[in-house]
Amino acid sequence: MAKTSAPKTSASMNIITVKVTLRGTKPPVWRRLVMPGTMTLGDLHQAIHAAMGWHDGHLHAFDREWSSS
């Protein structure tokens, strides 16, 4: 599940914070990614795999939950 907050403006680009959570894990396993607002879903895919230490062998789904925090 990925949660995003409203883009934050920096001097040169929008920055998006994404929280990636693995469902059904105890204790919870999650990563917070800080990405450029210009990223593609392909970029996000690569970032999730890198953050989780995966080697492109795990399936995932994008589930939008927007928050303003």
Side-chain angles (χ1 to χ4, degrees):
M1 162 181 350
K3 291 186 179 183
T4 60
S5 60
K8 299 175 184 173
T9 304
S10 84
S12 62
M13 72 171 91
N14 290 329
I15 302 297
I16 298 173
T17 302
V18 180
K19 183 178 180 183
V20 179
T21 304
L22 297 182
R23 290 185 181 176
T25 60
K26 290 194 180 188
V29 175
W30 60 273
R31 304 289 187 270
R32 186 167 317 277
L33 309 175
V34 179
M35 305 282 297
T38 57
M39 72 179 174
T40 65
L41 282 177
D43 296 335
L44 181 57
H45 168 86
Q46 293 298 322
I48 291 170
H49 280 256
M52 293 295 183
W54 298 340
H55 301 284
D56 211 24
H58 290 76
L59 296 176
H60 60 268
F62 294 103
D63 182 19
R64 292 188 327 201
E65 287 189 27
W66 303 98
S67 70
S68 59
S69 56

